[in-house]
Amino acid sequence: MSQKKTWLAAGLLGAILAWSTAWGSTPPPVAPATVPVPAKTPKAASKSTVDHSKLKELQKKFASGPEVTKACLNCHTEAAKQVQGTKHWTWEYSDPKTGQKLGKKNVINNYCTTTISNEKDCMACHAGYGWKDASFDFAAEDNVDCLICHDGTATYRKLPGDAGHPVYERKEFPHGSGKFVEAVDLQKVAQSVALPRRSNCGSCHFYGAGGDGTKHGDLDSALKNPGKYLDVHMDAKGLNFTCTTCHATAGHQVSGSRYAMTAAQTGPAHIRGKADASPASCQSCHGDKPHKESILHAERLNTHSDKLACQTCHIPQFARDSIGTETSWDWSTATQMGPAGKPIFVKDSAGRRAFDSKKGNFAWDSYLVPEYRWFNGHVSYKAKGDVIDPACTVEINHPDGEPGDADARIWPFKIHRGKQAYDTENNYLLVVHTAGEDDTALWRNFDWQKAIATGMQTAGLPYSGKFGFVSTEMSWPITHMVAPKTDALGCAQCHSANGRLQDISGIYLPGRDHSRLLDSVGWVVVLLSLLGVLIHGGTRVVLHFKHKG
Amino acid sequence: MNAPTRIYLYRRYERFWHWSQAVLVIFMLVTGFEIHGVYQNFGFQRAVEYHTLAAWALLTLWAFTIFWQFTTGEWRQYIPTLNRVLAMVRYYAYGIFVNAPHPFHKTAGKKHNPLQRLAYVTLLAMVSPLIWGSGFFYLFYGYWKDFGLDRTISLEWVALAHTAGAFMMLTFFIVHVYLTTTGHTPFAHIKTMVTGWEDAEAEEGAAGKA
């Protein structure tokens, strides 16, 4: 009887165990916390609650961009006001540290130099319509350009010279090239609006400074449809991130800025959970201890995060494609004419601009090794009117940060070098009126004096009448084109003599650094001891045989 | 008619400890100088990983050995003495060349001659703390900040101290290996360190008397 009971109990227990393990073995799928949801591929069926092609407001022929915007604002009542609060609209930024007025409206860059007096050309990349001079109305809501970011057809294009308006009539571009840009079908574009894709952001950010890949080096049109090699996150067949996956927006405010970067984020991954941290940083998804391979190696790598930006190892090269990036722009040779006294345009062997009578000499390169700098996220600028020292290379912008700063990390940079016009009496960089149809535009009349006079007048700065050229450089932190981890830098690429961080000061880098004195003394002692035992032993051997003999 | 006497000098654990320590120290010198950039063999990453692993292994070995030294009382072998140090110096500087009798006779209670004692105690009291101390800080460099240490010590000084220790260890190694050849035959000491047994019969002094 008791035996029977025991069997019964055992059977019951077994059944319970089997049942519970069956349940336990199928846990609900848990999404890994550190991997953000990949962006939807464009072809997937839209989950939007609105099909814009069915909206009555959009069933008409639009004559201009502002007309489309008016239609958009019928429903999206706050959109224009939101955009008008962003840098995409104001092109203005006030440095909270210095109060200095920055932004594209005020700074001088190392490429086309400045937007001042050249608005009609530059505003091809402004998220608005009609900014051709200082009279532009920043409050007019229908001047906001919704389509440049939300065009889902990839047919919407804005060209230099149109002050930010799209192509309304078929047009030869570049002028005299025999190539034509078709007029945009605004109705079709308006009915096909979508969340921004890589090509939307790229329509400006890939082509900065007038050509594909020219400016950034880590952003070019290859990122429209990149492979894993070029960008592990944007890999079109893989994670397929769009720009906004990282540069998350709220109320049209795009996170992540060149003017105030998050250079040294610490702590675990938070993705979108932490309001005071930039979502456009590697750490926001990966945390500051992301390495998980063998304990020995992962531990070492994770402790590097207090000195190195992720980008330093994980973007071993930038411009990793045939498009390449411009490395130098020398304005001092602009206005030099060809043999027939006519302006000329010379391409390099890869078909990129090498010399242009309008603009001077250029140099390009692909697969570039970054230069490394300590960087705390703050960038100091030489904006218009700031005094320079023409005896030295002018750093148009300078990444701040000292070794040992808790906020500073070693970052990879593209350094773009060049020469620019400066006022030899007043010692500041000159604002040059380059683009325009008038008689004083440099690219029309090839007369520096007239172009400078107009530029400086527009900028509201005195011009002494004397100009020269000064060497300049501009630093661009590299943060896109993140390579797959198998392509990341190996230890010895920095931990060796003449390694990548050869010029980085303020740290002791094993494999690179040593004390010459200590090493000399050490080796002398080692050699002397070796010599001593050899002499001692040799003497013993000699005497031994002598004794025998 | 002296019967050949063999004395058992080094017990099994002692020999195990000695030889595994030897292997680890040599390996750490090899990998350490690679990390220092002297030459390339394993590659920087592997060298660092192996060096770290060997350090943990050696640390473990030391933990057991310290325990062993104290439970067996063998730690007394390292008490330094100046007694007859000069005789030892005279022997190495002159006597050894003319087959003079060795001024020191090993017994199980006194395995090390006075010079050896001085050398080992220097190693234990100076070189080891220097290497272990600097190595420990080097290894846990990434955690200095958590303890506010990054403001008081610099990696450079830690690394230089570690390097200095490595040079001392290399020098010790060279002299130590050479001195193993100074027994009654060139390999006698090594044999003893392998088997544990020392042939007392063939000692210089005994041979001279015979």
Side-chain angles (χ1 to χ4, degrees):
Chain A
M1 184 70 192
S2 70
Q3 210 175 16
K4 211 176 179 183
K5 251 185 187 169
T6 317
W7 276 112
L8 199 72
L12 204 68
L13 193 71
I16 290 168
L17 270 175
W19 183 75
S20 63
T21 44
W23 273 100
S25 64
T26 51
V30 178
T34 53
V35 180
V37 182
K40 294 281 171 289
T41 49
K43 274 159 200 148
S46 173
K47 289 197 176 69
S48 171
T49 51
V50 181
D51 181 347
H52 283 82
S53 68
K54 291 178 184 162
L55 295 181
K56 259 195 210 108
E57 284 90 341
L58 305 180
Q59 308 292 341
K60 62 170 191 172
K61 285 282 166 205
F62 294 101
S64 72
E67 270 184 39
V68 180
T69 301
K70 255 183 217 160
C72 300
L73 295 179
N74 279 334
C75 299
H76 303 276
T77 55
E78 305 310 302
K81 284 189 207 83
Q82 289 175 350
V83 171
Q84 286 174 343
T86 71
K87 284 192 283 296
H88 276 139
W89 176 259
T90 60
W91 282 23
E92 195 160 59
Y93 173 79
S94 183
D95 186 336
K97 259 190 183 171
T98 61
Q100 193 186 21
K101 285 266 179 256
L102 301 172
K104 288 183 188 299
K105 198 176 157 185
N106 299 298
V107 297
I108 289 172
N109 72 39
N110 214 30
Y111 301 87
C112 311
T113 70
T114 166
T115 62
I116 302 161
S117 82
N118 304 308
E119 285 87 353
K120 275 178 89 174
D121 266 33
C122 300
M123 294 315 151
C125 276
H126 183 240
Y129 302 117
W131 184 353
K132 57 182 195 295
D133 53 36
S135 70
F136 180 63
D137 182 1
F138 283 91
E141 293 196 1
D142 53 358
N143 276 349
V144 170
D145 182 353
C146 309
L147 298 179
I148 191 65
C149 302
H150 294 285
D151 164 36
T153 65
T155 61
Y156 185 81
R157 229 182 131 184
K158 313 212 291 184
L159 298 176
D162 297 334
H165 284 281
V167 182
Y168 298 134
E169 279 165 29
R170 187 169 187 266
K171 193 175 177 181
E172 188 184 24
F173 182 82
H175 184 70
S177 67
K179 289 186 221 161
F180 284 83
V181 178
E182 298 302 325
V184 65
D185 181 347
L186 287 173
Q187 184 183 9
K188 193 177 157 210
V189 172
Q191 291 181 359
S192 318
V193 288
L195 288 173
R197 296 165 191 173
R198 291 188 294 263
S199 55
N200 291 103
C201 306
S203 68
C204 287
H205 294 281
F206 294 162
Y207 302 94
D212 195 0
T214 307
K215 193 181 268 180
H216 298 280
D218 58 339
L219 291 171
D220 64 37
S221 67
L223 290 175
K224 281 183 192 170
N225 196 23
K228 193 175 178 185
Y229 160 79
L230 188 63
D231 193 298
V232 71
H233 299 112
M234 291 194 254
D235 173 15
K237 293 198 182 83
L239 293 169
N240 201 23
F241 281 17
T242 64
C243 306
T244 53
T245 311
C246 298
H247 296 273
T249 58
H252 284 102
Q253 278 284 358
V254 182
S255 58
S257 157
R258 293 265 167 198
Y259 292 106
M261 282 180 65
T262 308
Q265 192 164 306
T266 53
H270 60 85
I271 312 196
R272 307 282 178 258
K274 200 170 155 192
D276 60 341
S278 169
S281 77
C282 308
Q283 291 90 337
S284 65
C285 293
H286 294 284
D288 64 352
K289 293 181 174 56
H291 304 95
K292 290 186 179 71
E293 46 283 270
S294 74
I295 292 179
L296 278 176
H297 193 45
E299 178 67 13
R300 280 274 153 225
L301 293 183
N302 284 337
T303 57
H304 277 67
S305 70
D306 67 338
K307 290 280 183 289
L308 296 179
C310 307
Q311 289 87 336
T312 296
C313 299
H314 290 277
I315 310 178
Q317 290 177 322
F318 61 96
R320 290 201 307 282
D321 55 40
S322 57
I323 297 165
T325 190
E326 192 184 288
T327 55
S328 152
W329 183 333
D330 178 358
W331 277 94
S332 70
T333 55
T335 71
Q336 285 179 9
M337 297 297 174
K342 289 257 160 70
I344 54 164
F345 184 85
V346 183
K347 288 181 178 178
D348 69 10
S349 57
R352 306 172 292 209
R353 62 186 185 189
F355 175 79
D356 184 343
S357 295
K358 290 175 173 177
K359 299 167 185 173
N361 278 87
F362 306 95
W364 288 74
D365 215 341
S366 289
Y367 302 93
L368 283 158
V369 172
E371 296 180 45
Y372 299 91
R373 305 273 189 272
W374 286 101
F375 183 41
N376 63 14
H378 183 261
V379 185
S380 297
Y381 270 84
K382 289 265 182 252
K384 63 167 183 177
D386 288 343
V387 174
I388 58 156
D389 175 7
C392 306
T393 296
V394 175
E395 281 186 282
I396 288 179
N397 70 347
H398 174 78
D400 294 340
E402 296 295 323
D405 275 4
D407 294 339
R409 298 287 182 273
I410 297 164
W411 268 77
F413 282 87
K414 170 190 170 179
I415 313 288
H416 182 264
R417 299 184 161 85
K419 279 185 184 170
Q420 277 195 35
Y422 79 105
D423 188 317
T424 53
E425 303 285 309
N426 293 321
N427 283 334
Y428 44 57
L429 295 171
L430 288 165
V431 173
V432 185
H433 178 50
T434 50
E437 291 103 48
D438 62 297
D439 170 54
T440 66
L442 185 76
W443 294 345
R444 203 170 178 86
N445 221 13
F446 297 93
D447 184 331
W448 275 107
Q449 286 295 8
K450 280 186 182 173
I452 292 169
T454 303
M456 292 303 274
Q457 199 181 0
T458 315
L461 286 168
Y463 171 47
S464 70
K466 289 189 185 120
F467 74 97
F469 290 91
V470 64
S471 290
T472 54
E473 65 178 46
M474 202 166 179
S475 304
W476 296 83
I478 295 296
T479 193
H480 304 102
M481 292 189 181
V482 177
K485 62 180 171 189
T486 42
D487 293 343
L489 283 192
C491 309
Q493 279 164 294
C494 298
H495 290 280
S496 55
N498 305 313
R500 289 197 175 207
L501 298 186
Q502 191 58 26
D503 298 327
I504 285 287
S505 60
I507 46 166
Y508 182 89
L509 189 57
R512 177 194 75 168
D513 294 332
H514 53 94
S515 152
R516 190 166 292 188
L517 177 70
L518 176 63
D519 278 11
S520 306
V521 171
W523 288 120
V524 164
V525 169
V526 167
L527 285 177
L528 281 181
S529 65
L530 204 59
L531 204 66
V533 301
L534 283 176
I535 291 172
H536 197 270
T539 312
R540 277 170 60 211
V541 170
V542 169
L543 286 176
H544 174 76
F545 285 109
K546 219 173 171 182
H547 206 70
K548 264 191 172 173
Chain B
M1 297 298 115
N2 291 339
T5 47
R6 296 170 79 217
I7 44 172
Y8 191 53
L9 275 189
Y10 304 113
R11 280 180 265 180
R12 194 187 297 174
Y13 178 79
E14 214 168 5
R15 285 173 281 141
F16 163 76
W17 158 55
H18 172 266
W19 287 113
S20 27
Q21 176 170 259
V23 168
L24 286 170
V25 165
I26 292 167
F27 189 64
M28 294 196 75
L29 282 168
V30 167
T31 51
F33 277 107
E34 176 165 13
I35 295 165
H36 193 54
V38 177
Y39 62 91
Q40 277 182 38
N41 177 42
F42 295 113
F44 189 88
Q45 179 184 329
R46 290 267 170 256
V48 170
E49 288 175 8
Y50 293 157
H51 197 76
T52 311
L53 267 182
W56 284 114
L58 194 52
L59 210 57
T60 312
L61 185 68
W62 268 54
F64 278 105
T65 304
I66 289 168
F67 182 73
W68 183 88
Q69 296 281 359
F70 281 95
T71 50
T72 56
E74 285 290 306
W75 62 274
R76 291 190 186 84
Q77 303 279 0
Y78 300 93
I79 298 172
T81 169
L82 287 176
N83 186 25
R84 303 220 294 154
V85 166
L86 280 180
M88 281 306 302
V89 172
R90 222 176 295 128
Y91 174 72
Y92 282 129
Y94 175 72
I96 193 169
F97 298 119
V98 296
N99 280 338
H102 200 290
F104 177 78
H105 296 278
K106 290 180 185 177
T107 64
K110 284 180 181 169
K111 301 176 195 172
H112 307 139
N113 73 48
L115 263 188
Q116 255 178 310
R117 285 189 182 221
L118 281 183
Y120 292 159
V121 120
T122 311
L123 201 67
L124 281 169
M126 268 184 56
V127 183
S128 288
L130 182 68
I131 293 184
W132 282 121
S134 56
F136 181 81
F137 281 110
Y138 215 148
L139 192 59
F140 292 106
Y141 167 69
Y143 297 90
W144 292 7
K145 210 185 260 170
D146 301 347
F147 301 93
L149 285 169
D150 55 324
R151 275 168 281 145
T152 45
I153 47 176
S154 80
L155 184 63
E156 179 166 16
W157 282 103
V158 166
L160 294 188
H162 204 61
T163 312
F167 278 120
M168 291 179 199
M169 188 53 93
L170 183 56
T171 306
F172 169 82
F173 174 77
I174 290 167
V175 176
H176 182 74
V177 169
Y178 171 68
L179 288 176
T180 63
T181 67
T182 59
H184 62 275
T185 68
F187 293 105
H189 286 337
I190 292 179
K191 205 174 135 196
T192 305
M193 204 65 236
V194 173
T195 63
W197 288 93
E198 170 118 339
D199 298 329
E201 58 159 351
E203 267 197 26
E204 316 286 323
K209 273 177 206 156

